[in-house]
Amino acid sequence: MKIDPKQAMDFLKTSGVFGPDSSCMKEWALIDPEEAFQWAVENKSDTAYHAGDILMAKSPQAFAKRVEEMPTGRMKNEFRAKQARTKAQEDPDAAVRWAHEMPVGTRMEMLLAIGPELESSDVALRREILSSLIRGGVDPIYEGSSILDYGWPTQELERNPRAFIELAGEYNPGLLPSAAMHWAGRDGDGSYEWLSALPKNESFDKIAEPLVRSDWVVKELGYERAVSLVNKVSNVDSRQAMGNMILQKWNDQDPESFRRYLDSEDVLPEQLQWWEEQR
């Protein structure tokens, strides 16, 4: 006797033995993926992922139509991200154009899905996506989270920190402190070259202060370079507090090079005064 798959799924659901790995759903999706997918979505079932994969493979157009009809939520976003990755593998430029047609929050998620699918040779497209993400700065869906909480933008920062920093400075300076922190903790030489060339102003303070308060960044930079950054901080109270903290650690870790610094032309009068008070 032939069993109607919809009736079988309805029975499994009401009987309490229904689960996300239901073989019945897989069999139904192979016969009629669109109807199976629609049933799973309407019943808020995780079996929609099985049916969705089959439907997308058999009929991308029908899959896209059904996804657009879905209510807003996690599952819809995940299916759209799957669409984005597939489109990026087939035609990266078209995928990016498609993502830009989405509402702002959805657009960010689609671009985050597309980025990892791009080849390293897609320099212009990678820059375009990164620029869009940096302009957004904070994902509007998860308010308060930075794009650096996501894998691909962080990988791009590590791959080419100067390009990332340049885009952040142009489109969203608020990202500079966290981006610089990430860079400095992994590349003391390159980040210091950039940091030391920045003008001495309030913007520099906002970037430099978190760095020199971080032990792991100071370790990567080295005490001498960390102190030289502190010396550029324009806020006197912050400069003295951070300078005293680093100088104390420097003296504890490497008293010989610390003494050489005290005898150098770079030492600030306030630092000599602090040292005299410690003796």
Side-chain angles (χ1 to χ4, degrees):
M1 182 179 67
K2 186 176 181 181
I3 299 175
D4 180 87
K6 182 180 183 302
Q7 290 180 354
M9 290 302 293
D10 286 335
F11 170 77
L12 289 173
K13 180 186 176 186
T14 56
S15 66
V17 298
F18 172 75
D21 294 323
S22 171
S23 59
C24 185
M25 169 55 76
K26 294 178 183 178
E27 292 177 10
W28 184 11
L30 290 171
I31 299 168
D32 190 339
E34 190 167 357
E35 185 179 359
F37 179 69
Q38 189 63 21
W39 182 95
V41 169
E42 290 174 353
N43 286 274
K44 298 180 174 59
S45 165
D46 283 346
T47 56
Y49 294 108
H50 299 305
D53 286 343
I54 295 171
L55 178 58
M56 185 168 64
K58 286 194 170 185
S59 178
Q61 296 80 9
F63 175 76
K65 180 177 179 293
R66 290 298 186 182
V67 169
E68 287 307 306
E69 293 171 351
M70 290 176 67
T72 300
R74 174 184 60 85
M75 185 176 285
K76 182 172 185 174
N77 290 336
E78 290 176 354
F79 280 126
R80 275 179 162 169
K82 188 184 291 286
Q83 284 180 281
R85 288 190 290 270
T86 302
K87 287 176 180 289
Q89 293 165 6
E90 297 170 351
D91 188 337
D93 291 285
V96 172
R97 290 195 299 271
W98 172 77
H100 280 299
E101 295 172 357
M102 299 287 180
V104 175
T106 304
R107 182 190 314 150
M108 294 281 284
E109 290 205 351
M110 297 307 98
L111 292 174
L112 284 166
I114 291 169
E117 304 300 327
L118 300 180
E119 299 291 340
S120 58
S121 56
D122 293 326
V123 177
L125 207 53
R126 295 175 85 97
R127 183 181 177 88
E128 179 185 342
I129 293 177
L130 197 57
S131 298
S132 297
L133 293 171
I134 286 174
R135 283 190 189 97
V138 174
D139 189 330
I141 294 178
Y142 305 104
E143 186 175 356
S145 67
S146 165
I147 63 166
L148 291 177
D149 293 335
Y150 298 91
W152 185 74
T154 302
Q155 291 167 10
E156 288 297 287
L157 169 58
E158 294 173 357
R159 190 178 66 85
N160 192 342
R162 284 187 179 276
F164 188 102
I165 292 286
E166 176 187 326
L167 291 172
E170 181 176 355
Y171 296 120
N172 193 340
L175 283 174
L176 285 174
S178 57
M181 171 82 79
H182 193 93
W183 184 12
R186 290 159 176 77
D187 177 11
D189 294 337
S191 59
Y192 178 75
E193 182 182 352
W194 174 75
L195 287 160
S196 60
L198 294 176
K200 181 179 178 179
N201 53 31
E202 187 177 347
S203 296
F204 174 82
D205 290 2
K206 291 179 180 178
I207 296 170
E209 287 186 28
L211 299 181
V212 296
R213 291 185 185 277
S214 168
D215 288 341
W216 63 281
V217 171
V218 170
K219 182 179 180 181
E220 178 65 28
L221 288 170
Y223 285 113
E224 185 172 357
R225 293 191 295 196
V227 169
S228 73
L229 294 178
V230 169
N231 292 351
K232 283 182 63 176
V233 171
S234 56
N235 183 287
V236 176
D237 292 338
S238 295
R239 184 179 68 232
Q240 290 180 344
M242 291 185 294
N244 296 348
M245 176 185 68
I246 294 178
L247 290 173
Q248 183 63 64
K249 291 179 180 178
W250 191 357
N251 182 47
D252 293 341
Q253 295 293 322
D254 188 354
E256 185 175 339
S257 64
F258 171 70
R259 299 299 196 287
R260 286 198 299 270
Y261 170 73
L262 292 179
D263 293 333
S264 72
E265 296 179 354
D266 297 324
V267 66
L268 300 181
E270 66 201 44
Q271 294 168 346
L272 290 173
Q273 180 181 346
W274 169 82
W275 178 240
E276 286 298 321
E277 294 172 354
Q278 304 306 305
R279 299 174 69 178

